[in-house]
Amino acid sequence: MSPSSDFKGIKIFDDTTDNMDIIKSLIDIEEREAGFYIMDIGDIINKHREWITKIPRVVPHYAIKCNPDPNIIKLLVALNTSFDCASEQEIRQVMQYGVQTDRIIFANPYKCPSHIKYAKKMNVSQMTADCELELLKIKEFYPEAKIIIRIRCDSKNSVCDLGLKFGCEPDEEAVRLIRLTLDLGLTLHGFSFHVGSPCGELYSYSRGIGICRRLIIIAKSMGCKDVQLIDIGGDIPGEKGTNIDKFANIVNDAIQDLDPSIRVISELGRYYVDSAFTLATFIHSKRLVRKDNKIMRMYYVTVGTYSTFLEEMIGMKSRAPQVLFES
């Protein structure tokens, strides 16, 4: 089917057109060796509707780092989605589309001083921290910020253990950070966690929510009157055919009797975009090699590992290609 419109290099096709037919059509229009993606806009819209219908209390924040394509951001802005930014550049990117600052969380526990200064300039006040030095840095550059202490809550089954990189221990260390926040005159806004990627234990979310609820009680007993947020992180799967009903039930049960003054948010990345994108790439070379007395066929394509196939390289997932043309 021919494109129905062409706007700034974006070609739009009817939603009923098969992906393989779209790719063939694009190749027919112009000989392509460079790889390209096709994006299913309706898929992203359906994912958003599914989330707000099944988990209505948890406000989705799209994690820009997952896929910073401007078309995704513009679409999610139109859907009134909020955003998880990890840098000055990402804050700039979403704010150019008129996103209000209270719809942005600066969810990077370790930030460059210049990025904190930029967040202050733009009044992006919600930001995470998980150690004393980060709190001292925020005190110096943005004392009016709303602090969200990130705790460690690892899934019992995940390939990428983010707890090794981010998150304080949810016991004495978390209490020390609460106390330091008070002593520095900073505002403790809430608590966050991320269970790791990919998450193989959905009940880790209810465990993390339980820890945050306990810490909120402790913080209020210590004099923190402005605690009003729980951030449950991300890594909700988004492959085609994924059913989030079990996840939704676990989260909804965990927040069922939560104080209504406490907001709950999430940092969704792959959930929104995993099934919405199809990559087309050109195989330009191939060779046969022997390994462990077996012949292995290797293909070389025009898309780099770090732009597209990083998850394969680190063993998180593997993709099964579809052949467009037989040769």
Side-chain angles (χ1 to χ4, degrees):
M1 183 175 179
S2 298
S4 58
S5 68
D6 190 345
F7 179 70
K8 291 185 179 179
I10 300 172
K11 294 179 170 60
I12 302 175
F13 292 81
D14 189 276
D15 193 45
T16 60
T17 309
D18 181 76
N19 284 351
M20 300 297 271
D21 291 335
I22 292 174
I23 294 171
K24 289 178 181 178
S25 175
L26 291 172
I27 293 174
D28 288 341
I29 295 171
E30 177 184 352
E31 183 177 350
R32 292 175 180 265
E33 290 189 354
F36 61 91
Y37 282 98
I38 57 174
M39 181 178 79
D40 186 343
I41 294 174
D43 187 85
I44 296 176
I45 294 173
N46 289 335
K47 287 285 187 60
H48 182 72
R49 287 174 176 169
E50 179 184 41
W51 184 274
I52 62 177
T53 299
K54 294 183 176 179
I55 321 176
R57 186 167 175 184
V58 181
V59 180
H61 287 56
Y62 177 61
I64 301 295
K65 54 186 166 290
C66 182
N67 188 330
D69 188 293
N71 298 293
I72 301 173
I73 298 172
K74 285 185 282 187
L75 173 60
L76 292 175
V77 168
L79 293 172
N80 202 35
T81 308
S82 297
F83 294 89
D84 157 22
C85 297
S87 66
E88 175 183 339
Q89 174 58 32
E90 292 182 3
I91 294 173
R92 287 181 184 274
Q93 192 170 5
V94 299
M95 291 198 71
Q96 68 179 306
Y97 300 115
V99 176
Q100 295 177 334
T101 57
D102 60 359
R103 289 168 56 193
I104 300 173
I105 179 172
F106 195 173
N108 185 344
Y110 297 95
K111 299 165 286 295
C112 292
S114 62
H115 294 207
I116 298 175
K117 292 176 183 178
Y118 181 77
K120 179 178 181 178
K121 176 182 176 182
M122 305 309 296
N123 198 31
V124 175
S125 60
Q126 299 178 102
M127 57 181 61
T128 57
D130 68 0
C131 70
E132 295 180 3
L133 289 177
E134 194 68 16
L135 289 176
L136 293 170
K137 191 194 306 178
I138 295 171
K139 172 65 176 179
E140 179 178 359
F141 299 113
Y142 194 178
E144 304 85 6
K146 297 177 179 178
I147 306 298
I148 298 150
I149 294 177
R150 177 160 167 172
I151 61 169
R152 181 173 184 174
C153 180
D154 299 330
S155 165
K156 295 177 182 177
N157 181 14
S158 65
V159 176
C160 182
D161 188 356
L162 291 179
L164 294 175
K165 185 177 182 182
F166 298 127
C168 67
E169 295 300 327
D171 40 40
E172 291 88 353
E173 186 177 10
V175 175
R176 284 200 302 272
L177 293 181
I178 294 171
R179 172 53 61 191
L180 180 60
T181 303
L182 275 173
D183 292 344
L184 292 174
L186 297 171
T187 298
L188 178 59
H189 189 58
F191 298 92
S192 71
F193 63 91
H194 198 299
V195 299
S197 180
C199 175
E201 184 217 353
L202 292 180
Y203 284 101
S204 56
Y205 288 95
S206 60
R207 189 167 63 251
I209 291 169
I211 294 170
C212 289
R213 295 181 66 163
R214 177 176 60 82
L215 289 173
I216 288 174
I217 293 172
I218 293 173
K220 289 187 174 181
S221 72
M222 295 169 65
C224 296
K225 306 301 183 183
D226 300 313
V227 184
Q228 53 187 264
L229 181 75
I230 293 177
D231 178 354
I232 68 172
D235 199 59
I236 316 306
E239 295 89 350
K240 285 190 183 299
T242 298
N243 187 322
I244 69 165
D245 288 353
K246 183 177 180 181
F247 168 80
N249 290 336
I250 290 171
V251 171
N252 287 334
D253 287 347
I255 63 176
Q256 184 175 13
D257 60 347
L258 184 67
D259 185 329
S261 67
I262 304 296
R263 292 191 304 121
V264 186
I265 70 171
S266 60
E267 301 169 8
L268 302 179
R270 66 181 69 219
Y271 170 78
Y272 273 121
V273 299
D274 254 10
S275 60
F277 283 80
T278 301
L279 170 68
T281 184
F282 180 72
I283 299 175
H284 59 79
S285 304
K286 60 183 179 180
R287 66 183 292 215
L288 295 176
V289 296
R290 183 179 295 276
K291 181 179 180 181
D292 300 329
N293 295 321
K294 294 181 180 179
I295 298 297
M296 181 170 61
R297 181 176 282 107
M298 299 177 67
Y299 294 96
Y300 297 80
V301 299
T302 53
V303 175
T305 297
Y306 293 100
S307 63
T308 305
F309 295 110
L310 178 62
E311 289 177 320
E312 276 85 356
M313 187 175 74
I314 62 178
M316 287 182 63
K317 68 159 59 174
S318 60
R319 294 170 175 83
Q322 292 178 267
V323 178
L324 189 64
F325 299 110
E326 298 284 351
S327 59

